[in-house]
Amino acid sequence: MQTTFTISDLANEFDLTTRAIRFYEDMGLLQPQREGPGGRNRVYSARDRTRLKLTLRAKRLGLSLSEAKEIIEMYDSPRDTGPQLRKFLLILADHRRQLDEQMADLVANLDEVKVHEKEARALLAKLDKAGKAG
């Protein structure tokens, strides 16, 4: 497996724009080495690639970038994994609670839409019936 990657390598592999990768770098999620004249060329390590993969996974779960960074940085340290896993579970529990609340809101909203659709159909049927009678 490759040990270093260019920004284009990562962009192609993960179907991202180079701008998105630079944004993750600005957020402190990636820390490429700089090479070439004026340090213009970014060289990403296998560690950066893994961090990007974890960041995208966290985004798919709906976590914020700051939550993703917090989780990823926990795994960067060689400390005992117990506290890391507990923190991860706390973040996931909070996220699950938020999703459950959003789901309840969506269900309530959908029920309200159904009521309005039913009322509108009934009114339209009444109008159609009155139009045919008159």
Side-chain angles (χ1 to χ4, degrees):
M1 181 171 172
Q2 236 176 296
T3 57
T4 61
F5 307 86
T6 66
I7 195 168
S8 297
D9 291 337
L10 294 179
N12 290 333
E13 179 178 354
F14 293 103
D15 195 27
L16 296 170
T17 64
T18 55
R19 183 177 183 172
I21 293 173
R22 287 191 300 272
F23 176 74
Y24 294 142
E25 184 182 332
D26 291 342
M27 295 293 294
L29 290 157
L30 306 174
Q31 297 151 348
Q33 295 295 314
R34 300 295 193 130
E35 293 182 354
R40 290 189 53 176
N41 298 331
R42 292 168 168 84
V43 179
Y44 296 89
S45 65
R47 176 181 174 272
D48 288 314
R49 181 186 171 278
T50 299
R51 287 175 66 97
L52 179 58
K53 189 174 186 176
L54 292 171
T55 297
L56 297 174
R57 185 176 297 157
K59 274 189 64 180
R60 278 193 306 277
L61 285 172
L63 301 179
S64 70
L65 288 180
S66 61
E67 289 170 323
K69 183 178 180 184
E70 188 176 348
I71 292 168
I72 291 167
E73 286 178 350
M74 285 190 310
Y75 287 98
D76 269 352
S77 67
R79 298 185 311 241
D80 177 29
T81 59
Q84 296 167 347
L85 291 171
R86 283 183 195 83
K87 177 66 175 175
F88 183 50
L89 285 172
L90 285 174
I91 290 171
L92 288 176
D94 185 54
H95 187 61
R96 176 191 287 267
R97 181 192 52 73
Q98 290 173 11
L99 289 174
D100 285 340
E101 288 174 7
Q102 289 174 355
M103 181 66 85
D105 288 346
L106 286 172
V107 168
N109 193 315
L110 186 57
D111 288 345
E112 190 174 339
V113 165
K114 289 176 183 176
V115 166
H116 289 296
E117 283 178 331
K118 185 176 179 180
E119 289 172 356
R121 283 192 180 94
L123 288 171
L124 190 57
K126 211 182 248 188
L127 285 174
D128 288 346
K129 187 177 180 182
K132 289 180 184 175

